Amino acid sequence: MLGRKIDLDEIPNLIEESDADIVCEFTDLNIRERGEPAFTYLSTAIRSGKHVITTNKGPIAFHYDELMELGRKYNRLVRFKGTVMAGTPSFNIIDLLPGVRVNYFMGILNGTTNYILTRMYEGMDFNEALRLAQERGFAEADPSLDVDGWDAALKTIIISRVLGWRHDLGNMEVRGIRNLDIKAFGDRVVKLIAYADKETAYVKPIPLDRSDVLAHVNENLNALRINTDILGDITVIGPGAGPIETAQAVLTDLVYIINNAGD
């Protein structure tokens, strides 16, 4: 078996037969197939008695309810910190705030578009900035998921589901930064903002006053502002992608499972 190329159809069987306690799923996002085959890998692992960790936004954004229900049914933990802002704290902050109600959240959840906008404010046009982002490894050869807002939209859905809000792509306005004229907004700074409250969710370019902290979050950094009933605004700023940053998120989930698994 060593060195043999494994057919993708074999993977669920390999997961099922494995004696692992935890399955880590790091496959690429597939938005067209609504998170498959990652959802199948994760659900197979849970049904076969394994805790799971994923960094893949697809299965969490499209199948959150199913995965949580499977986790409850089989008494397995489902962890996915790496799907939003990598190792920088994001929705996991809520675990530290018992008794606090979140009114809304908003933020910069896509580093690629933030990097492009930063370069545009330095004088580059969109295409030049995108090319540089690709050269630096911040943007894919096909940057559509990032620049058209879909990556940030999936992250918005994930945070919303953690909070108990039932947003999905069908009820969200999603607009990216293609053809954006930053000069049209005068002295305000445009950022691709992800927003959600209990009733509304969107991702779109928003002009911010220069007094807003989010207006000064540049390069490929991410930021999340959580507005609460007791503490007001809590804002976290940090790297939202990268191999080391994502590995930190996985370590966070791994430590959580080790400390909280019942067996």
Side-chain angles (χ1 to χ4, degrees):
M1 178 130 180
L2 188 62
R4 179 176 70 85
K5 184 176 180 180
I6 298 174
D7 191 286
L8 292 179
D9 292 338
E10 296 180 72
I11 293 177
N13 288 335
L14 292 174
I15 292 172
E16 198 169 47
E17 294 167 3
S18 168
D19 60 0
D21 297 313
I22 303 170
V23 169
C24 297
E25 193 282 320
F26 307 144
T27 61
D28 292 336
L29 170 64
N30 187 339
I31 193 170
R32 292 182 180 85
E33 298 296 328
R34 296 180 60 82
E36 288 289 7
F39 172 65
T40 294
Y41 300 158
L42 293 171
S43 57
T44 299
I46 297 167
R47 288 190 178 97
S48 59
K50 300 165 179 64
H51 305 290
V52 295
I53 297 171
T54 186
T55 59
N56 191 327
K57 292 177 287 293
I60 304 301
F62 291 113
H63 301 283
Y64 182 86
D65 290 345
E66 297 102 305
L67 288 171
M68 295 305 110
E69 178 57 33
L70 280 172
R72 286 189 290 269
K73 180 177 179 180
Y74 291 92
N75 195 27
R76 299 295 92 180
L77 296 173
V78 181
R79 304 297 295 176
F80 48 93
K81 173 63 198 76
T83 62
V84 180
M85 292 177 65
T88 299
S90 58
F91 58 78
N92 53 332
I93 292 174
I94 306 304
D95 294 336
L96 305 176
L97 302 172
V100 169
R101 185 181 73 245
V102 175
N103 298 318
Y104 68 84
F105 68 85
M106 64 183 292
I108 299 165
L109 300 183
N110 183 267
T112 299
T113 50
N114 205 42
Y115 180 85
I116 291 171
L117 288 171
T118 300
R119 299 285 81 82
M120 289 173 69
Y121 274 101
E122 294 175 347
M124 289 187 180
D125 65 25
F126 171 81
N127 290 325
E128 290 174 319
L130 172 57
R131 247 188 332 268
L132 183 59
Q134 290 170 325
E135 290 172 5
R136 295 285 305 276
F138 299 144
E140 302 288 340
D142 179 0
S144 301
L145 286 177
D146 293 320
V147 301
D148 293 329
W150 299 111
D151 174 80
L154 293 178
K155 293 171 181 174
T156 304
I157 291 169
I158 290 170
I159 300 173
S160 296
R161 288 305 181 97
V162 171
L163 292 168
W165 303 339
R166 305 196 60 78
H167 298 304
D168 57 41
L169 291 181
N171 70 359
M172 288 181 66
E173 179 184 5
V174 180
R175 286 195 282 123
I177 63 170
R178 292 186 196 266
N179 305 314
L180 183 66
D181 180 10
I182 61 174
K183 295 178 181 178
F185 298 95
D187 193 47
R188 292 182 295 174
V189 179
V190 178
K191 296 291 185 180
L192 185 68
I193 295 295
Y195 172 92
D197 56 34
K198 188 174 182 180
E199 305 299 330
T200 304
Y202 62 73
V203 172
K204 60 184 176 181
I206 297 290
L208 303 173
D209 292 335
R210 290 188 179 271
S211 60
D212 192 322
V213 171
L214 296 183
H216 301 279
V217 177
N218 293 319
E219 301 298 331
N220 61 330
L221 290 177
N222 281 196
L224 178 66
R225 174 183 296 154
I226 300 173
N227 179 268
T228 71
D229 60 341
I230 297 174
L231 301 175
D233 287 344
I234 299 170
T235 302
V236 180
I237 300 170
I244 294 175
E245 294 82 356
T246 303
Q248 173 62 49
V250 174
L251 180 60
T252 298
D253 286 342
L254 181 61
V255 170
Y256 182 91
I257 291 174
I258 291 170
N259 289 337
N260 292 277
D263 51 14

